[in-house]
Amino acid sequence: MKNVAIAGATGAVGQELLAILEERNFPLKSLKLLASARSAGKKIKFKGEDITVQELRHDSFEGIDLVLSSAGGSISKEYMPSAVKAGAVVVDNTSYFRMNPEVPLVVPEINPQEIKKHKGIIANPNCSTIIMLLPLFPLYKAFGIERVHACTYQAASGAGATAMEELRLESAALATGKTFTRTVIPHQYAFNLFPHNSPYNDGSSARSSVHAPTGYCEEEWKMVAETHKIFGDNNLRVNATCVRVPILRAHSEALNIRFSKKASVAGIYDVLRTAPGVEILEDPSENRWPMPIDASGKDPVLAGRVRIDQSQDNTFDIWIVGDQIRKGAALNAIQIAELL
Ligand code: A2P
């Protein structure tokens, strides 16, 4: 039984952490909910009881065994060292610690053994990366991968609860011919899409915290760098184009994979059918493939539409969809905590 604190408890991932702790009956001795001063005093229901949200402070972690942190990178940077100092283990959902060589970056279906190496902090990977890697890892084991390119179709949830709310409000406003003033998302989001708005390296500025090369945005480079770290293979050729689409909470990805060993459509389906955390959902006769509404609120990454890429040898396309808030964030974090 553990004393657990959630940092960012009022956010999109924080709320899902609460739901999953309840659903999976996580062995809790106590649960502390932390957020900004704006939310202090607010009550949130957990297992039928009200828990009062407290302001996150450096002294919030006295007696806490486990911190699930999802309040943003700068908050993790500032406060999680205090949690470790107080004796807690932190499972951090932000990008801040992910590429730190001292910090394991874990997808439990892929590299659970890394958890043991932690020195107080374990990082939860980027959502698009987790969703891509669940089907990719068993394929990598079975056939070897020469190169993978991912095009993502990312939901508002990746930008947090306020972005989801803004998409709802903007959609309602524009659908009824009203004007709308955005405060969270930088571009029109309803009835539109745009290349991911994480910091873009134009070659003139200092390199970003994730060291994206010129021409990449951070989200795209996270998918490359984090895949290398999780697979323990820096030679794997990975590339990504990340796009935000006006969907509330599940990310879709088109994967184009060139294998090293001879692969086939049937062989790929065989691997995906037994891949942990992956489910095939499709009915080709009805032109029915995984959609964000199928994955929303669900644990598995849905896969389908495996086909030969006619343009080059031994290359295949796969369509996948996964809930960004669940397996892309909260569920993965709680699976790590369960292994701990
Ligand atoms: P709050 O609701 O009080 O702003 P999301 O990713 O959905 O936007 O959620 C972000 C989470 O991080 C929220 O719980 C938010 O709390 C929390 N947060 C944001 N800024 C701070 C801060 N300065 N200190 C503590 N928690 C913060």
Side-chain angles (χ1 to χ4, degrees), residues 53-270:
V53 177
Q54 299 175 40
E55 181 185 357
L56 171 63
R57 294 166 19 158
H58 286 283
D59 62 1
S60 296
F61 306 104
E62 213 52 51
I64 296 292
D65 304 304
L66 171 72
V67 181
L68 301 166
S69 173
S70 63
S74 58
I75 305 294
S76 284
K77 177 186 178 187
E78 163 91 18
Y79 292 95
M80 291 313 123
S82 303
V84 176
K85 226 174 266 165
V89 178
V90 177
V91 180
D92 188 55
N93 264 296
T94 77
S95 61
Y96 185 71
F97 297 103
R98 286 184 195 146
M99 297 312 296
N100 181 331
E102 302 273 285
V103 174
L105 181 65
V106 176
V107 179
E109 291 85 347
I110 299 174
N111 60 345
Q113 72 285 353
E114 292 298 308
I115 289 175
K116 284 197 214 86
K117 301 181 187 160
H118 82 80
K119 296 178 176 150
I121 299 178
I122 299 161
N124 209 40
N126 164 268
C127 48
S128 303
T129 309
I130 296 176
I131 290 165
M132 171 170 79
L133 297 194
L134 278 197
L136 202 66
F137 185 67
L139 293 170
Y140 169 78
K141 286 275 178 216
F143 304 113
I145 290 176
E146 274 195 9
R147 176 186 186 259
V148 57
H149 182 82
C151 288
T152 71
Y153 307 75
Q154 298 186 213
S157 53
T162 50
M164 294 170 79
E165 183 58 9
E166 184 163 291
L167 174 58
R168 278 193 202 95
L169 296 173
E170 187 183 37
S171 302
L174 300 195
T176 50
K178 299 193 182 97
T179 54
F180 184 79
T181 308
R182 284 176 295 279
T183 57
V184 182
I185 294 287
H187 312 292
Q188 180 179 324
Y189 199 4
F191 314 113
N192 191 28
L193 58 79
F194 49 89
H196 201 278
N197 54 306
S198 52
Y200 171 82
N201 186 349
D202 67 2
S204 61
S205 53
R207 285 198 156 187
S208 69
S209 58
V210 297
H211 305 296
T214 301
Y216 284 79
C217 69
E218 284 191 2
E219 184 80 359
E220 289 161 348
W221 198 245
K222 284 175 190 173
M223 292 183 74
V224 178
E226 293 182 21
T227 298
H228 287 167
K229 183 165 174 177
I230 295 161
F231 281 16
D233 180 356
N234 288 339
N235 296 320
L236 182 61
R237 288 190 282 171
V238 186
N239 198 30
T241 297
C242 294
V243 175
R244 276 207 203 277
V245 295
I247 296 290
L248 280 175
R249 61 176 286 165
H251 288 359
S252 305
E253 300 183 20
L255 305 182
N256 181 261
I257 312 166
R258 184 169 175 146
F259 293 104
S260 325
K261 291 187 212 142
K262 188 82 198 138
S264 65
V265 167
I268 291 170
Y269 274 114
D270 280 347

Side-chain angles (χ1 to χ4, degrees), residues 8-13 34-39 56 70-72 75 79 159-162:
T10 51
V13 174
L34 303 166
S36 77
R38 294 179 293 275
S39 301
L56 171 63
S70 63
I75 305 294
Y79 292 95
T162 50

Side-chain angles (χ1 to χ4, degrees), residues 4-21 31-46 51-56 61 67-72 75 80 93 161 325 330:
V4 176
I6 299 181
T10 51
V13 174
Q15 290 293 291
E16 200 68 21
L17 285 166
L18 277 161
I20 298 175
L21 286 174
L31 181 61
K32 192 169 194 177
L33 303 185
L34 303 166
S36 77
R38 294 179 293 275
S39 301
K42 198 175 155 184
K43 297 212 182 319
I44 294 183
K45 278 234 176 316
F46 182 77
I51 303 182
T52 304
V53 177
Q54 299 175 40
E55 181 185 357
L56 171 63
F61 306 104
V67 181
L68 301 166
S69 173
S70 63
I75 305 294
M80 291 313 123
N93 264 296
I325 310 180

